[in-house]
Amino acid sequence: MSVALRTLVHGGLLVRLKRGVYAKPAMVAKCGATALLAGVSAKQRQKLVRARKQRRRLRQQLTPTARLVAALARKNRVDYRPTYADQFAASATRLAGDSVQPDATDDLLVALRRDGKISESDFLMHVIAHHRALKHV
């Protein structure tokens, strides 16, 4: 992915505004880099507001698996911290047009697995149970 972006930037088809933010040269000439970055910031704020609302909704409708995972994470003092690889995967998924949105339970399961607090089979079992329960909520 980075090779493709680098090639497009060197070829003059894209302009890098900041890390992870690219625009077409015509748009930069038309609107200016500052205005485009301001638009990105506004979109990020909107995204945060939407994420907060979604978290509030999810708190109201926790699945049994979500409660179990949250308790397990509290007990083991584990919290989810996204890595660069997580951010890259989310960006690649978004660019591919997929609408996959992992929730807090998915993130906690990843954190528990990374810290070795649960096995691979337990991780898969809980993810599947959680998503099945979400379909019925």
Side-chain angles (χ1 to χ4, degrees), residues 85-134:
D86 295 333
Q87 293 169 350
F88 177 80
S91 296
T93 301
R94 190 178 58 254
L95 288 171
D98 292 342
S99 61
V100 176
Q101 288 289 322
D103 62 10
T105 302
D106 292 327
D107 293 340
L108 282 176
L109 282 166
V110 167
L112 287 165
R113 179 66 193 121
R114 281 184 185 153
D115 283 358
K117 305 298 182 189
I118 60 174
S119 67
E120 184 73 25
S121 59
D122 286 342
F123 169 78
L124 292 172
M125 177 186 68
H126 289 309
V127 167
I128 292 168
H130 175 62
H131 285 273
R132 281 186 180 154
L134 283 177

Side-chain angles (χ1 to χ4, degrees), residues 14-132:
L14 282 180
V15 174
R16 183 177 187 261
L17 300 176
K18 72 176 192 175
R19 183 178 178 187
V21 180
Y22 297 85
K24 292 182 178 180
M27 285 302 288
V28 174
K30 180 180 176 185
C31 301
T34 314
L36 289 173
L37 286 172
V40 169
S41 296
K43 285 181 183 178
Q44 288 172 340
R45 279 192 300 277
Q46 289 173 346
K47 208 176 204 181
L48 285 173
V49 168
R50 269 188 256 121
R52 281 189 207 118
K53 286 180 183 178
Q54 184 180 11
R55 276 192 297 255
R56 234 179 278 133
R57 254 185 277 123
L58 286 174
R59 257 186 258 132
Q60 294 169 354
Q61 49 177 312
L62 288 178
T63 66
T65 305
R67 285 190 210 96
L68 174 75
V69 169
L72 190 59
R74 266 193 311 274
K75 177 183 168 195
N76 289 296
R77 295 187 175 141
V78 172
D79 61 340
Y80 175 73
R81 299 191 193 280
T83 63
Y84 185 71
D86 295 333
Q87 293 169 350
F88 177 80
S91 296
T93 301
R94 190 178 58 254
L95 288 171
D98 292 342
S99 61
V100 176
Q101 288 289 322
D103 62 10
T105 302
D106 292 327
D107 293 340
L108 282 176
L109 282 166
V110 167
L112 287 165
R113 179 66 193 121
R114 281 184 185 153
D115 283 358
K117 305 298 182 189
I118 60 174
S119 67
E120 184 73 25
S121 59
D122 286 342
F123 169 78
L124 292 172
M125 177 186 68
H126 289 309
V127 167
I128 292 168
H130 175 62
H131 285 273
R132 281 186 180 154

